[in-house]
Amino acid sequence: QVQLQESGPGLVKPSETLSLTCTVSGGSVSNYYWNWIRHSPGKGLEWIGYIYYSGTTNYNPSLKSRVTISVDTSKNQFSLKLNSVTAADTAVYYCARYHLVTAIDYWGQGTLVTVSS
Amino acid sequence: DIQMTQSPSAMSASVGDRVTITCRASQGISNFLAWFQQKPGKVPTRLIYATSSLQSGVPSRFSGSGSGTEFTLTISSLQPEDFATYYCLQHNSYPLTFGGGTKVEIK
């Protein structure tokens, strides 16, 4: 059974960088597309982007200028960096596995990140 | 971006009711449509993928249909454990986009 677990700070100051890591167990990151998704009361569920194990990325244009997703196959992890955060970036952040045909099949538990001074 | 308009945004229903939730896409998405259920404080779980394929382990009272721009999730006989929020997701093109959600509450 594939499991995903997000980790990282729950509080980030405005203008700083949000950094989260997703650790994958029960399967390898060396396949599939690995995604970040966030959920906020104001915007609902919002897809942030994905990385393929080869390093190919695809980002939501609305966030593209501020987002970097990377993968570390040796640690079976992938990571999210979102810079220049504002209160509008406050959300529950999920990592998730995505398949081109069957969409998202596994989600992490989610982690609340609050942007506040 | 493809906009996914989900309706209704909320509804009240009774155990045993037939429930239908609709997602309309702003442009054609073939059959690249999935449905998720989310309960408070829990992770979304996939119910349906590829418009009508039932996720393993999901009760057969859930079904999906549609094509092109209009899609439906049907719960044939609502059960107590089905009270939750439901979301559609299109993955025909990027960025992936979700519907706004339908909260199904107890009448």
Side-chain angles (χ1 to χ4, degrees):
Chain A
Q1 177 79 345
V2 175
Q3 292 185 315
L4 294 82
Q5 180 66 59
E6 304 89 351
S7 59
L11 180 64
V12 182
K13 291 182 168 56
S15 80
E16 296 191 345
T17 297
L18 179 160
S19 295
L20 295 174
T21 295
C22 182
T23 301
V24 180
S25 58
S28 173
V29 295
S30 295
N31 210 336
Y32 295 99
Y33 295 80
W34 302 95
N35 292 248
W36 288 98
I37 294 161
R38 67 183 184 180
H39 195 181
S40 63
K43 290 188 175 182
L45 284 162
E46 182 178 27
W47 177 75
I48 298 170
Y50 73 61
I51 189 164
Y52 192 53
Y53 75 98
S54 61
T56 301
T57 55
N58 191 341
Y59 301 138
N60 193 321
S62 67
L63 298 167
K64 188 173 184 176
S65 64
R66 299 193 291 130
V67 170
T68 302
I69 299 176
S70 58
V71 65
D72 187 335
T73 55
S74 67
K75 294 182 179 179
N76 229 34
Q77 294 176 334
F78 62 105
S79 299
L80 168 70
K81 290 189 185 300
L82 180 67
N83 59 36
S84 304
V85 297
T86 69
D89 295 310
T90 294
V92 175
Y93 285 76
Y94 294 99
C95 57
R97 191 179 84 167
Y98 170 70
H99 185 279
L100 291 177
V101 174
T102 62
I104 297 167
D105 53 4
Y106 291 100
W107 299 69
Q109 289 301 305
T111 187
L112 174 63
V113 179
T114 301
V115 178
S116 175
S117 55
Chain B
D1 298 7
I2 295 177
Q3 308 303 317
M4 300 301 295
T5 303
Q6 193 171 335
S7 61
S9 57
M11 62 182 299
S12 296
S14 300
V15 172
D17 284 353
R18 181 181 182 88
V19 169
T20 299
I21 299 168
T22 298
C23 262
R24 288 188 174 86
S26 59
Q27 58 187 272
I29 59 171
S30 186
N31 71 332
F32 292 101
L33 192 286
W35 291 96
F36 297 85
Q37 178 193 68
Q38 187 174 31
K39 297 180 180 179
K42 300 294 187 181
V43 178
T45 58
R46 187 176 64 183
L47 302 173
I48 302 283
Y49 61 92
T51 297
S52 59
S53 295
L54 191 66
Q55 171 68 30
S56 175
V58 172
S60 59
R61 63 181 179 272
F62 291 93
S63 64
S65 64
S67 65
T69 61
E70 187 156 335
F71 301 84
T72 59
L73 173 70
T74 300
I75 309 172
S76 60
S77 177
L78 196 67
Q79 298 302 301
E81 59 268 30
D82 300 337
F83 292 95
T85 301
Y86 295 85
Y87 297 95
C88 62
L89 164 69
Q90 73 78 22
H91 60 111
N92 179 75
S93 63
Y94 300 102
L96 306 186
T97 47
F98 292 86
T102 296
K103 186 173 184 179
V104 178
E105 299 178 304
I106 302 173
K107 183 181 285 184

